[in-house]
Amino acid sequence: MEQKIAVLGTGVVGQTFAERLTNLGYSVTIGTRDVVDTLSKTAPGPYGNPPFSTWLKAHETISLATFAEAAQQASVLFNCTKGDASIDVLNLAGAENLSGKLLIDIANPLDFSNGFPPSLSVCNTNSLAEEIQRAFPMLNVVKTLNTMNASLMVNPALLPGEHTVFVSGNDNRAKEETIEFLKAFGWKQANIIDLGDLTTARATEMLLPIWVRLYSTLKTPMFNFHINIGQPI
Amino acid sequence: MEQKIAVLGTGVVGQTFAERLTNLGYSVTIGTRDVVDTLSKTAPGPYGNPPFSTWLKAHETISLATFAEAAQQASVLFNCTKGDASIDVLNLAGAENLSGKLLIDIANPLDFSNGFPPSLSVCNTNSLAEEIQRAFPMLNVVKTLNTMNASLMVNPALLPGEHTVFVSGNDNRAKEETIEFLKAFGWKQANIIDLGDLTTARATEMLLPIWVRLYSTLKTPMFNFHINIGQPI
């Protein structure tokens, strides 16, 4: 039987993961607050992309359900929500539907309240990933992929040359399972750096301030951090 | 006449810059709080390196003076102090000795009060570089080189392959002068990224949390960030 995955969030990041995971053979349900409301929206997305209902019709093997229904069916969840919504969304998913499951957290605690560039709503001695882990101790939270554009997350070969993805988490088995997903997306072992426990997510979330400024400077989101150690790792 | 440079700080970073700048033909004076006290110390440095007086004897063309004397003679200053001492050191140098000069700020606001890894004492919506600029508006502060090991700062060729140095500052002429130093150290134009004004120093100082964790993971300081944009820039 296909492994069931819940993608939390209907935005471009959620769509990107849902499509890629479906193409890799997983059974994907996207979670949302209100299925009827999500399907009734007709306005284009923030990047001029089509409304969610149009996208979903073009991806007929992907299901849409409430956060709770999506989480209940799944063994693995991808947190593709905005950072300021993540805890609320997981509360809607319900602790009883999260127990013992892997949450791959790619969200960032971006604070746009003062416009662009955003600051972080939590950083330095705390992180969004740790806040999620503390709020849902029954989840195995692994932070990864949050340091680049969504299209690169699931298809690193879109950017030629070597570049790096970081992994942070408290549970080694959960990190191993996450790394299998990364490899399925196309990440080479040599470009995957396990930084250690979930406190190291502070460090990867703190890459976002330079990411957004590089986006302004380079005029493209198609770049990534590469940790050059002068030799193959 | 040789251009006179003040290196503020007698630690390994200051020594590294003083030696490299001297070898490039600059006239270098290292600034310290108390010349007699600095020369009288006989304990080895924190990395087992020789005491400063021993190092200085082996570098006889480099002078030692008070912060004020070093700053007064110089047209360019390198801030090689610890972040938590930088403002104090510049006060000792004296505002009257800083007016209109370039300060190349490579310090980081590391807070070791809770041990390793350090957090940052200022970040997110502020930076050490901006604090220095606000305290000394007559200085032209340029933040650069703070995102890597000192030996790589002044000799990037020590690490094979491409890697990146960032530049932040409010004054374009000061940034151009800084970039000339970077090129003298061996940095290729294609690997120098001007991020914009001094607020972008928030973003480069916020690279330190992942730098210190990578140092723990990789067991070497000989690595650096490379911004891979998939083609030569």
Side-chain angles (χ1 to χ4, degrees), chain A residues 53-223:
Chain A
S53 58
T54 305
W55 178 87
L56 190 64
K57 276 186 198 135
H59 297 81
E60 54 186 18
T61 61
I62 297 173
S63 305
L64 184 69
T66 64
F67 289 125
E69 290 163 346
Q72 193 272 328
Q73 297 166 23
S75 56
V76 178
L77 301 92
F78 282 78
N79 178 24
C80 300
T81 65
K82 290 192 169 74
D84 59 3
S86 296
I87 299 277
D88 187 31
V89 163
L90 290 166
N91 275 318
L92 290 169
E96 69 279 14
N97 295 322
L98 302 175
S99 187
K101 296 182 179 177
L102 167 61
L103 180 79
I104 297 178
D105 174 32
I106 64 165
N108 283 301
L110 298 176
D111 176 0
F112 285 95
S113 61
N114 290 305
F116 191 92
S119 59
L120 298 179
S121 60
V122 54
C123 67
N124 201 22
T125 56
N126 195 3
S127 63
L128 174 63
E130 291 167 275
E131 292 202 331
I132 292 172
Q133 184 67 83
R134 278 193 296 272
F136 301 94
M138 73 293 286
L139 265 178
N140 291 317
V141 179
V142 176
K143 189 93 196 187
T144 191
L145 291 169
N146 60 306
T147 57
M148 68 197 76
N149 177 265
S151 60
L152 293 180
M153 295 180 189
V154 299
N155 196 355
L158 288 176
L159 181 68
E162 304 304 312
H163 50 110
T164 303
V165 61
F166 305 100
V167 178
S168 306
N170 295 336
D171 185 276
N172 284 334
R173 181 71 199 85
K175 286 199 281 194
E176 286 164 16
E177 192 174 354
T178 300
I179 288 169
E180 292 309 308
F181 280 103
L182 297 178
K183 289 179 179 171
F185 293 155
W187 287 96
K188 292 186 270 188
Q189 178 74 54
N191 287 329
I192 301 170
I193 298 183
D194 181 347
L195 289 170
D197 70 24
L198 204 59
T199 65
T200 64
R202 300 172 193 177
T204 63
E205 293 178 8
M206 287 170 85
L207 288 177
L208 268 289
I210 199 161
W211 192 94
V212 296
R213 286 167 176 88
L214 285 165
Y215 179 44
S216 295
T217 299
L218 301 173
K219 319 280 188 210
T220 170
M222 297 303 281
F223 65 88

Side-chain angles (χ1 to χ4, degrees), chain A residues 119-120 123-125 159-163 166 193-195 199-200 202-204 206-207 209-210 213-214 217-218 222-230, chain B residues 119-120 123-125 159-163 166 193-195 199-200 202-204 206-207 209-210 213-214 217-218 222-230:
Chain A
S119 59
L120 298 179
C123 67
N124 201 22
T125 56
L159 181 68
E162 304 304 312
H163 50 110
F166 305 100
I193 298 183
D194 181 347
L195 289 170
T199 65
T200 64
R202 300 172 193 177
T204 63
M206 287 170 85
L207 288 177
I210 199 161
R213 286 167 176 88
L214 285 165
T217 299
L218 301 173
M222 297 303 281
F223 65 88
N224 198 10
F225 303 98
H226 175 228
I227 304 303
N228 176 350
I229 64 165
Chain B
S119 59
L120 298 178
C123 67
N124 200 21
T125 55
L159 181 67
E162 306 303 314
H163 50 111
F166 305 100
I193 297 183
D194 181 347
L195 288 171
T199 64
T200 65
R202 300 171 193 177
T204 63
M206 287 169 87
L207 288 178
I210 199 162
R213 285 167 176 89
L214 285 165
T217 299
L218 301 173
M222 297 304 279
F223 66 87
N224 198 11
F225 303 98
H226 174 229
I227 304 303
N228 176 350
I229 64 163

